[in-house]
Amino acid sequence: MPQTEWILDVLSDLKTFANANGLSALAEQLDDTKIVAAAEIASKREEALSPTHGQKGQPEPDFGGLGRHQRA
């Protein structure tokens, strides 16, 4: 398990505790929190695997010298 995914288990344990102790609003909030955490973990994983080191793989446009003064 990657080093960041342990937090998902902790959130699940907290939700189980909240449900067992009648803290339904907290349990629902922990569900939302787990979704946010999973999305952020996935985003970080994608950034780490990106060939441009987090720049979403978008090549920069090449305008071929437009707007630049060029001398012959």
Side-chain angles (χ1 to χ4, degrees), residues 44-60:
K44 293 289 185 184
R45 186 178 303 130
E46 287 176 19
E47 285 178 15
L49 296 175
S50 173
T52 57
H53 303 291
Q55 295 183 8
K56 305 289 183 197
Q58 298 287 334
E60 291 191 23

Side-chain angles (χ1 to χ4, degrees), residues 18-56:
N19 280 325
N21 290 283
L23 303 170
S24 58
L26 177 58
E28 288 180 31
Q29 184 65 48
L30 287 164
D31 260 344
D32 294 343
T33 303
K34 189 173 177 182
I35 291 168
V36 171
E40 283 195 305
I41 289 168
S43 176
K44 293 289 185 184
R45 186 178 303 130
E46 287 176 19
E47 285 178 15
L49 296 175
S50 173
T52 57
H53 303 291
Q55 295 183 8
K56 305 289 183 197

